Amino acid sequence: EAKRSGKNQALFYSPQMDIGSADLIDQQRDLRRAIGMGEFVLYYQPKVEIATGRVSGVEALVRWMHPDKGVVGPASFIPLMERFGLISDLGRIVLDLALADLKRWQGMGLSLPVSINLSPQQFRREGLAEGIIAHVEGSGIDPAVFTLEITETMAMDDDARTLNTLATLRAAGMRVSLDDFGTGYSSLSVLRDLAPEEVKIDRSFVRDIEHSRPAREMVTAMVAMGQALGMKVVAEGVESAGQVAILRNTGCDQVQGYFYSMPLPAADLVMWLDRQAPSGALLPHGPDATV
Ligand code: C2E
Ligand code: MG
Ligand code: MG
Ligand code: MG
């Protein structure tokens, strides 16, 4: 029981929480204002199919365009939103933004699968799947363009609600991805029980593959295991050509990282895709583009 509450604390508290309560009240007010004013935007990071160089989709990563602080990353405000009970609001906002961008891209003849991140707290909420599906279906966008990236919680591997949620999302055509595999609670039992369509090897494993044989062997084994289980394997945090070469040898399906592109605002993403197209290597346009 002590162990369990320890894990819970890791979920709900972060270093920012050690600040005084006056600061917390300010932060909460700031976040509520940001929600009301629509200060959140999505950046998109391409996912590249390693064998062909084609873009297989993009991952939506939320940013807070703060009036004073500029662009604020999710690591500094998502734990606070969870604490203040605002994470469902963020989930709706993120889905709305993604649907609007998908509509704009559709109008340009660009069809691009989009991955959305869900925090464990969002995922445990009753009615999450129904809410997402109603939201997407109301927009006229095909739910099948979405992959939902989840990081599991300590309870996930034996939680009936989790499996129900996944089944409902899949029945609507959405895919499930296990994010940050190999870290925290992203364990083998979760890989087995959730049976995601995709598994993303955490950046901490990819980082050392050029210089560390154990790191390389570990990634090789993770790729083989994921594929043996019928999953697409994605390596995250790829920053160098050397890493790409090694990952290609492991048979890894897809790569994502600064080597290809940082997360980009939607307009910059379209320009990035256009720049890749003439080389013939990246062909995201047209009806055949969707993987
Ligand atoms: P994640 O889903 O594992 O996303 C990957 C993170 O690694 C992103 O950080 C991305 O910008 C960064 N990254 C990508 N390539 C590289 C690389 O080559 N090198 C390095 N050093 N970093 C790279 P970001 O955008 O700050 O997001 C952090 C985390 O916040 C995400 O981790 C995800 O768990 C969460 N997150 C992001 N957007 C959302 C959202 O809309 N909803 C929820 N619930 N969580 C989100
Ligand atoms: Mg992710
Ligand atoms: Mg990740
Ligand atoms: Mg991560």
Side-chain angles (χ1 to χ4, degrees):
E1 187 51 38
K3 194 176 166 202
R4 195 184 158 83
S5 65
K7 285 185 176 181
N8 272 325
Q9 284 188 359
L11 268 178
F12 294 103
Y13 293 88
S14 76
Q16 293 100 310
M17 306 299 169
D18 291 333
I19 52 188
S21 60
D23 281 345
L24 273 181
I25 289 165
D26 281 349
Q27 300 234 36
Q28 182 165 5
R29 188 180 297 125
D30 205 18
L31 278 166
R32 287 187 186 279
R33 181 192 45 77
I35 291 169
M37 299 296 285
E39 290 174 7
F40 297 97
V41 301
L42 292 182
Y43 278 33
Y44 294 93
Q45 188 178 38
K47 291 169 61 183
V48 176
E49 200 176 66
I50 203 164
T52 61
R54 284 166 56 122
V55 173
S56 52
V58 291
E59 177 178 4
L61 295 156
V62 71
R63 302 285 183 265
W64 179 5
M65 309 311 258
H66 194 284
D68 307 322
K69 299 175 193 159
V71 184
V72 180
S76 60
F77 63 83
I78 284 181
L80 288 167
M81 292 186 110
E82 291 184 330
R83 172 159 191 177
F84 300 144
L86 298 172
I87 197 71
S88 311
D89 295 287
L90 183 70
R92 266 190 300 276
I93 290 167
V94 165
L95 201 50
D96 259 337
L97 292 169
L99 289 167
D101 286 330
L102 277 160
K103 282 216 173 119
R104 209 169 303 120
W105 294 335
Q106 238 172 37
M108 303 166 63
L110 179 62
S111 103
L112 213 49
V114 173
S115 295
I116 301 274
N117 290 280
L118 295 176
S119 77
Q121 257 207 53
Q122 284 174 281
F123 203 78
R124 275 199 305 258
R125 266 231 154 71
E126 185 118 42
L128 172 95
E130 290 77 7
I132 290 176
I133 291 163
H135 196 149
V136 173
E137 283 179 346
S139 75
I141 296 282
D142 181 1
V145 305
F146 285 105
T147 294
L148 301 171
E149 296 194 5
I150 60 173
T151 49
E152 80 290 14
T153 72
M154 61 277 166
M156 247 189 191
D157 45 354
D158 54 2
D159 187 28
R161 185 190 289 174
T162 298
L163 296 176
N164 273 331
T165 298
L166 294 185
T168 307
L169 292 168
R170 284 179 170 134
M174 298 188 182
R175 289 152 44 91
V176 176
S177 172
L178 184 60
D179 206 352
D180 304 335
F181 182 64
T183 66
Y185 306 112
S186 220
S187 62
L188 293 174
S189 63
V190 173
L191 191 68
R192 177 195 62 204
D193 295 343
L194 301 192
E197 280 76 26
E198 175 185 279
V199 51
K200 300 184 80 170
I201 300 175
D202 191 67
R203 180 172 84 230
S204 58
F205 293 95
V206 174
R207 192 180 48 217
D208 301 325
I209 51 174
E210 283 177 281
H211 312 292
S212 154
R213 192 187 142 107
R216 199 156 55 239
E217 297 296 352
M218 215 139 161
V219 167
T220 302
M222 285 192 259
V223 170
M225 182 176 58
Q227 290 178 342
L229 294 170
M231 299 159 190
K232 290 277 181 213
V233 181
V234 183
E236 32 175 44
V238 176
E239 295 184 352
S240 74
Q243 289 171 336
V244 175
I246 291 165
L247 288 164
R248 183 178 287 115
N249 281 336
T250 69
C252 183
D253 298 287
Q254 291 171 24
V255 278
Q256 206 181 1
Y258 295 168
F259 178 70
Y260 293 95
S261 174
M262 310 240 327
L264 300 170
D268 294 356
L269 173 76
V270 171
M271 288 193 285
W272 184 88
L273 289 170
D274 270 339
R275 274 203 309 278
Q276 312 301 318
S279 74
L282 299 162
L283 300 165
H285 295 266
D288 298 337
T290 322
V291 173

